[in-house]
Amino acid sequence: MTLKQHFTEHPASVDETYFEHFKVAARFARRLTIAAGAAAVHAVIPSMCTKTASERIRELHSEMTAGKRGATSSLESAA
């Protein structure tokens, strides 16, 4: 695999440019970090954040499996 392919092959496989893929992946990472924080709070204080992490994971899964991932902006506003 050439160096260029490391940056272009996967994004092309999901019909995105490198920069489109970067933007989507960075947004997913931010939202997963928030979900992880909520899960950590829930681990310490079980009565808090009882559904936050699981709701975020469901939203991300729905977005990832619903066609072109960057096209869904309504989920972004929920984060």
Side-chain angles (χ1 to χ4, degrees):
M1 179 178 277
T2 68
L3 183 60
K4 182 179 178 181
Q5 287 173 317
H6 282 285
F7 295 94
T8 59
E9 190 173 284
H10 173 67
S13 76
V14 291
D15 194 31
E16 295 172 346
T17 67
Y18 171 81
F19 291 106
E20 288 171 331
H21 190 269
F22 179 88
K23 183 179 174 184
V24 172
R27 183 167 34 91
F28 270 62
R30 181 177 56 85
R31 294 171 69 196
L32 284 168
T33 301
I34 292 167
V41 168
H42 178 70
V44 176
I45 307 169
S47 65
M48 294 184 70
C49 303
T50 59
K51 297 179 182 179
T52 306
S54 58
E55 287 174 353
R56 295 296 179 262
I57 298 299
R58 276 192 291 276
E59 290 169 358
L60 288 169
H61 177 264
S62 178
E63 181 178 343
M64 187 175 287
T65 57
K68 185 139 177 147
R69 298 175 302 181
T72 309
S73 61
S74 62
L75 293 176
E76 171 63 15
S77 62

